[in-house]
């Protein structure tokens, strides 16, 4: 989701192209759109991260320790990038002077 937000901010993609929520729709349509959206994401995640495939992968202790360092740094950098892109977007829209 962070990368979708990054791409949307970089290429100025309207949010309704990516996220199905609309405040003008009825509550039923909002729930239906949200269910379909997250259902598709769940099915895609289930197909990509199949339990048999994951169990077949062997992971060493060295790669686990490396991931404990790399993943938090990657997450923090992604959040910082999103903050910078949001500030840039707000300046372009005239919200921040």
């Amino acid at each position: 989701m962070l990368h979708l937000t990054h791409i949307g901010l970089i290429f100025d993609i309207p949010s309704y192209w990516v996220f199905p929520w609309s405040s003008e729709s009825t509550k039923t349509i909002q729930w239906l759109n949200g269910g379909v959206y997250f259902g598709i994401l769940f099915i895609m995640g289930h197909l990509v991260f199949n339990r048999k495939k994951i169990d077949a992968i062997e992971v060493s202790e060295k790669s686990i320790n490396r991931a404990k360092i790399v993943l938090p740094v990657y997450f923090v950098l992604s959040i910082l990038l999103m903050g910078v892109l949001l500030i840039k977007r707000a300046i372009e829209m005239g919200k921040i002077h």
Side-chain angles (χ1 to χ4, degrees):
M1 294 306 290
L2 282 173
H3 293 304
L4 283 177
T5 306
H6 292 154
I7 292 169
L9 289 170
I10 290 171
F11 294 112
D12 198 25
I13 298 173
S15 62
Y16 62 87
W17 286 11
V18 180
F19 303 107
W21 189 81
S22 171
S23 61
E24 288 86 32
S25 301
T26 63
K27 288 288 183 190
T28 307
I29 298 298
Q30 289 177 9
W31 280 93
L32 183 64
N33 285 343
V36 169
Y37 180 75
F38 288 108
I40 289 171
L41 290 177
F42 179 77
I43 290 170
M44 286 173 53
H46 184 69
L47 292 174
V48 171
F49 301 109
N50 189 342
R51 176 64 107 191
K52 291 178 183 177
K53 291 178 186 176
I54 291 174
D55 288 340
I57 297 172
E58 292 186 26
V59 181
S60 68
E61 192 69 31
K62 181 181 177 183
S63 42
I64 291 174
N65 290 334
R66 184 170 177 243
K68 286 180 183 179
I69 296 169
V70 171
L71 288 177
V73 170
Y74 178 75
F75 182 72
V76 167
L77 289 176
S78 292
I79 295 294
L80 289 174
L81 175 63
M82 185 167 52
V84 169
L85 290 171
L86 285 171
I87 291 169
K88 177 183 167 273
R89 172 72 178 225
I91 291 170
E92 289 173 354
M93 292 176 67
K95 307 268 184 191
I96 298 176
H97 302 286

